[in-house]
Amino acid sequence: KTSFCGSLQAVVCAGITCVVARQFKIGTLAAAALAVAGVGILEFAGGDTLELAPGDLICSLVPLCFGAGWFILGQTMKKFPEDTLPSTALQLAMTALGCTGWTLVSTFSKGGMEGVTGLLSQLPDILQAPGLMPSLLYSALIGNVLTMWLANEALRRVKGSDVALLAASEPLWAAVAAMIFLGDVMQPNEVLGGALLIAAVVCNELLTEPESEIEPDSALMQLRQVQRRPLVQMSAVKPRRKVLQNP
């Protein structure tokens, strides 16, 4: 259910792209729809039921936040392509701050300060659990640091909707990894869903429309430079004073 909600980020980002560009991008929207259909078949066609719960309200914010985030981040990376590493560090810091804050607040709401103190005192024992550190390091370094940096590097060169589409195909690669490393056998619904996800990527590449890049700051900055130039030149010229001679 979370994977399906997360796949809707492709639709949100594609919709924002169309609204901002004031252009109906049929290729982008069709690819997003195929991706959502593929994830839905991959996740729910195997017999899982779609039951709504109170936590689904929070889960519904995932596509909105991620879709808008991909678009904004894509615009930012194109305006400041040299700030890939600072952007990655800022994203990681905000993620760590949000997760830490959520954990402390939820623990405090259940057990008060005693619950928070007990959680902090148990951290050394939790970190010493067998097999935890390799998984924790892989999740932190590969699953977060490397992937965020690669996403920022990609957003310098491609649209945010393209990255959102690839991020929506995450369930497919999870199924492939489970087949390779865990020996799982892909079911017919997983094969069909994966085929739709691949078709979404192909559709996004083939049905491309001419881009109308919107750079609102560039024209304004050029205009300001043209307006400032005469003032600078005038200030560099010293006014001549007339010397009055006494008769």
Side-chain angles (χ1 to χ4, degrees):
K1 200 159 45 171
T2 304
S3 299
F4 179 74
C5 291
S7 67
L8 295 176
Q9 63 183 298
V11 179
V12 173
C13 190
I16 295 175
T17 302
C18 294
V19 171
V20 174
R22 296 180 180 178
Q23 181 182 5
F24 185 77
K25 298 178 178 293
I26 184 63
T28 303
L29 293 175
L34 281 174
V36 173
V39 175
I41 293 175
L42 194 149
E43 293 293 334
F44 299 119
D48 296 336
T49 58
L50 181 60
E51 297 179 356
L52 298 179
D56 295 331
L57 179 61
I58 299 176
C59 190
S60 64
L61 298 177
V62 172
L64 297 176
C65 296
F66 269 97
W70 286 126
F71 179 81
I72 296 173
L73 190 60
Q75 298 296 317
T76 304
M77 286 294 96
K78 288 178 178 59
K79 290 174 62 177
F80 306 100
E82 69 282 355
D83 292 339
T84 303
L85 287 178
S87 176
T88 303
L90 182 60
Q91 293 174 66
L92 291 171
M94 295 305 297
T95 301
L97 182 62
C99 292
T100 303
W102 181 274
T103 302
L104 294 177
V105 170
S106 60
T107 304
F108 179 80
S109 62
K110 295 178 181 179
M113 284 303 300
E114 294 182 358
V116 175
T117 305
L119 176 64
L120 296 178
S121 62
Q122 293 175 3
L123 279 180
D125 297 333
I126 296 175
L127 294 177
Q128 293 177 3
L132 175 64
M133 289 306 298
S135 302
L136 190 62
L137 291 176
Y138 179 87
S139 177
L141 299 178
I142 306 299
N144 287 278
V145 177
L146 182 61
T147 52
M148 284 186 181
W149 177 75
L150 290 175
N152 289 335
E153 285 289 335
L155 286 168
R156 295 171 51 188
R157 301 167 175 85
V158 299
K159 298 179 297 183
S161 57
D162 294 343
V163 178
L165 180 64
L166 293 176
S169 65
E170 180 182 350
L172 170 62
W173 310 116
V176 172
M179 181 181 63
I180 295 174
F181 297 106
L182 301 178
D184 289 354
V185 179
M186 294 190 69
Q187 302 300 320
N189 65 293
E190 295 176 338
V191 175
L192 178 58
L196 287 178
L197 285 170
I198 296 175
V201 177
V202 175
C203 177
N204 187 60
E205 293 298 325
L206 295 181
L207 299 179
T208 56
E209 300 85 0
E211 291 295 324
S212 56
E213 296 184 358
I214 302 176
E215 296 181 358
D217 295 338
S218 59
L220 183 59
M221 292 180 64
Q222 291 178 2
L223 179 61
R224 288 178 178 176
Q225 291 177 359
V226 172
Q227 292 176 346
R228 289 176 182 175
R229 194 173 301 162
L231 297 177
V232 175
Q233 293 177 355
M234 290 177 61
S235 62
V237 179
K238 295 182 179 180
R240 297 180 180 178
R241 296 181 179 179
K242 294 183 179 180
V243 178
L244 298 179
Q245 297 180 356
N246 296 326

